Amino acid sequence: MPRASATTTKRPTPAQLAPLATRQVAAAPLLPQPQLERLLAVAMERGADFAEVYVERGLLTAVVLEEGRIKSAQTGLTQGVGVRVISGAKVGYAYSDDLEEAALLRTARTAAMIAQGGGSEQSYKVSRTPAPSYYKVPTPLADIDVARKAELVLRADKAARGFDKRITQVNGSYADVTKRIAVGNTLGHYTEDTQDLCRLSVQVVAEGKNKERRTGFYGGGGRVSFSHFDTFTPESVGREAARQAIATLGAAECQAGPQTVVLAPGWSGILLHEAVGHGLEADFIRKGTSLFAGKVGQKVASDLVTVIDDGTVANSRGSINVDDEGVAGERKVLIEKGVLKGYMYDSFNAKLMGQRSTGSGRRESFKHMPLPRMTNTYLAPGDHHPEDIIKEVKRGLYCAHFGGGQVDITNGNFVFEVSEAYQIEDGKLGRPVKNAILIGVGPEALKNVSRVGCDPMPDPGLGTCGKDGQSVPVGVGLPTLRIDNMTVGGTKVA
């Protein structure tokens, strides 16, 4: 991938950080339709059930700040073609970043050989399928001067450092991409989409008494115009990251053992994404490795729990007009009032399971095959007021912000680090605690949900989900949520 970088020790000028890629590159055609149809024919020349050509061109920007200065500012172009051939349950996949005719034909033949079909070459025609529009970015992010993007990070750094003198370190980053994709297949479908995506983030370190150090992290973005940062300002990002770090200085050790846990709205939805969402993806269901396999129509959660995966949310980080197989994004009710309603399907697993795609086939880039993945996964709101939810708890833990976590799909076991947490004493938030960890089993945690707030909130646009070595942008959301009898790990035994 062509890439250029500039390292500076002072604020960069527009001339220093001018993008390498031009608007003409962004607007250039992807792959001529006759050439795409030729690739489909070659991919099917050994015989198969299905072939698909995926074309991608992306213009990227990345700015990194350390120690109050822009460390690097990069722009780059990535482009390539992936060819997938399916014969029964066999899949052949090959890709090329060389767009010359001979290289693309070799790529198609390689995918055909891997799938090991048998037959003769035929011709295939594709026709354009209109795509919905859930995100409109009038000026592509690739057309915005890199100096303006670097300015966001510098402003966030200044705000974080100015928040409190105990802030000792600030790291910031800004990244965006203007990506165009085209997908054509032997069913005759052809779809194009343009996907802009950006994120600004800041991580800070605060130092208190006795050299105690605490960190804070915040940021956001989405499939939005650059003007998004006129209201979601870098100053607010820097101050919130700093507030988190300062708030937990002097925190007490978290008490271990079963507790009533209250989750703050918004980013806490990452727990839902990991502990429940992955187990509802069709590849795990088909293989029988998910705890939710074979349970459609069964009670798997509290009556208060309705889980939705929605790729149609306007401008959200996980939204898609079409997935990476060219299927339109959908709003999918996965669990309704505690009853499992369905799964998330890509085209491949849907066909093998006698289902239809739910627009959940996603891939990181042309170098990867699509997999069933989440988009924006959230819990529907309930009827309880957030203040009342906390007031009802005599003793428990309030989880304001989450760090990392992991889940075992086969048994639903999850572990999550809580980066900002507070004791709840007699219905009121008390002192901050540190080293809190939530431990549980996804379905059991859902069954123990006893209150759901009326304050739904999406995350600010932070999420990136990893699966099988691929990363894709996602959104999460949650109203204030109470879970009873949750196992909390800590360093202090009750």
Side-chain angles (χ1 to χ4, degrees):
M1 177 179 67
R3 183 176 293 275
S5 64
T7 302
T8 67
T9 56
K10 60 183 180 179
R11 178 175 169 177
T13 66
Q16 288 173 317
L17 300 180
L20 298 180
T22 65
R23 297 187 185 187
Q24 286 72 30
V25 173
L30 290 173
L31 201 67
Q33 186 168 317
Q35 187 178 17
L36 186 147
E37 292 170 344
R38 170 66 175 157
L39 292 179
L40 289 174
V42 171
M44 293 289 286
E45 64 185 6
R46 288 177 171 263
D49 301 325
F50 175 87
E52 167 196 85
V53 174
Y54 173 88
V55 191
E56 173 187 302
R57 177 180 290 127
L59 300 174
L60 308 94
T61 301
V63 178
V64 176
L65 175 143
E66 292 181 4
E67 299 179 352
R69 298 175 177 178
I70 300 298
K71 180 180 180 181
S72 65
Q74 302 175 324
T75 60
L77 166 67
T78 179
Q79 60 182 0
V81 174
V83 180
R84 181 171 58 153
V85 180
I86 299 175
S87 181
K90 296 180 181 179
V91 181
Y93 193 80
Y95 68 87
S96 174
D97 57 8
D98 182 348
L99 301 189
E100 293 296 324
E101 176 83 7
L104 295 182
L105 290 175
R106 285 195 300 271
T107 301
R109 291 191 176 102
T110 299
M113 290 176 65
I114 297 172
Q116 295 181 338
S120 59
E121 184 176 330
Q122 303 178 43
S123 62
Y124 293 88
K125 296 293 183 182
V126 297
S127 59
R128 183 74 173 265
T129 302
S133 180
Y134 302 120
Y135 34 84
K136 292 182 179 180
V137 180
T139 301
L141 295 170
D143 290 349
I144 305 297
D145 288 341
V146 184
R148 294 181 61 190
K149 301 170 183 178
E151 181 68 23
L152 293 180
V153 188
L154 291 166
R155 287 166 55 190
D157 172 78
K158 182 179 180 180
R161 293 182 184 277
F163 184 82
D164 192 286
K165 63 181 181 180
R166 290 171 289 179
I167 300 297
T168 60
Q169 183 179 338
V170 179
N171 293 324
S173 66
Y174 171 89
D176 70 35
V177 62
T178 297
K179 182 168 71 172
R180 296 178 61 211
I181 67 169
V183 187
N185 61 44
T186 49
L187 299 178
H189 302 309
Y190 177 83
T191 308
E192 292 185 2
D193 192 27
T194 299
Q195 303 168 344
D196 282 88
L197 182 70
C198 61
R199 188 178 84 164
L200 171 69
S201 58
V202 174
Q203 183 173 35
V204 307
V205 177
E207 187 171 311
K209 297 178 180 179
N210 301 318
K211 300 296 183 180
E212 177 194 10
R213 291 187 174 185
R214 301 295 295 171
T215 61
F217 176 81
Y218 192 62
R223 300 198 183 279
V224 295
S225 300
F226 193 71
S227 60
H228 176 73
F229 298 104
D230 292 343
T231 52
F232 185 78
T233 65
E235 286 78 14
S236 66
V237 171
R239 287 192 293 264
E240 172 58 18
R243 184 206 62 77
Q244 291 179 28
I246 295 297
T248 54
L249 283 174
E253 293 292 338
C254 180
Q255 181 173 295
Q259 296 187 42
T260 296
V261 170
V262 178
L263 308 184
W267 178 241
S268 298
I270 190 64
L271 187 147
L272 184 73
H273 170 102
E274 293 288 356
V276 179
H278 279 299
L280 300 176
E281 293 169 339
D283 48 353
F284 298 126
I285 299 299
R286 179 174 65 86
K287 296 171 184 176
T289 56
S290 169
L291 202 62
F292 292 101
K295 293 186 177 180
V296 171
Q298 296 183 26
K299 195 73 175 295
V300 296
S302 160
D303 292 343
L304 301 176
V305 171
T306 294
V307 178
I308 298 165
D309 186 83
D310 190 355
T312 72
V313 180
N315 301 108
S316 182
R317 181 171 171 83
S319 294
I320 50 174
N321 290 329
V322 295
D323 70 4
D324 295 320
E325 298 176 307
V327 180
E330 289 187 12
R331 180 183 186 274
K332 305 165 286 292
V333 178
L334 304 173
I335 299 173
E336 185 174 25
K337 295 181 179 179
V339 177
L340 181 59
K341 291 295 185 179
Y343 308 117
M344 290 169 280
Y345 293 95
D346 62 329
S347 296
F348 174 67
N349 285 283
K351 182 176 181 181
L352 293 178
M353 299 173 70
Q355 302 291 329
R356 66 171 189 87
S357 170
T358 56
S360 304
R362 306 188 65 192
R363 65 182 100 197
E364 179 177 332
S365 75
F366 67 91
K367 298 179 181 180
H368 305 87
M369 288 190 291
L371 301 169
R373 307 291 297 270
M374 284 170 275
T375 55
N376 304 298
T377 309
Y378 59 90
L379 190 75
D383 299 325
H384 299 93
H385 290 282
E387 298 83 0
D388 294 338
I389 293 176
I390 296 174
K391 286 179 181 178
E392 293 173 354
V393 179
K394 183 173 180 59
R395 183 175 180 81
L397 183 72
Y398 183 78
C399 302
H401 285 278
F402 280 84
Q406 59 185 13
V407 62
D408 186 333
I409 300 299
T410 59
N411 54 30
N413 292 338
F414 64 81
V415 178
F416 274 92
E417 173 194 355
V418 186
S419 57
E420 182 183 0
Y422 300 87
Q423 289 179 347
I424 303 176
E425 297 283 353
D426 295 322
K428 296 180 180 180
L429 294 187
R431 65 190 300 184
V433 296
K434 60 185 177 180
N435 299 322
I437 298 174
L438 300 189
I439 305 168
V441 180
E444 293 305 314
L446 290 184
K447 290 176 182 178
N448 288 334
V449 170
S450 59
R451 297 288 187 274
V452 178
C454 59
D455 56 339
M457 181 184 296
D459 80 284
L462 284 168
T464 298
C465 175
K467 176 180 176 180
D468 288 356
Q470 297 190 43
S471 296
V472 298
V474 295
V476 299
L478 201 72
T480 300
L481 187 72
R482 171 177 164 173
I483 306 176
D484 296 332
N485 199 33
M486 170 74 74
T487 298
V488 177
T491 55
K492 181 180 178 182
V493 179

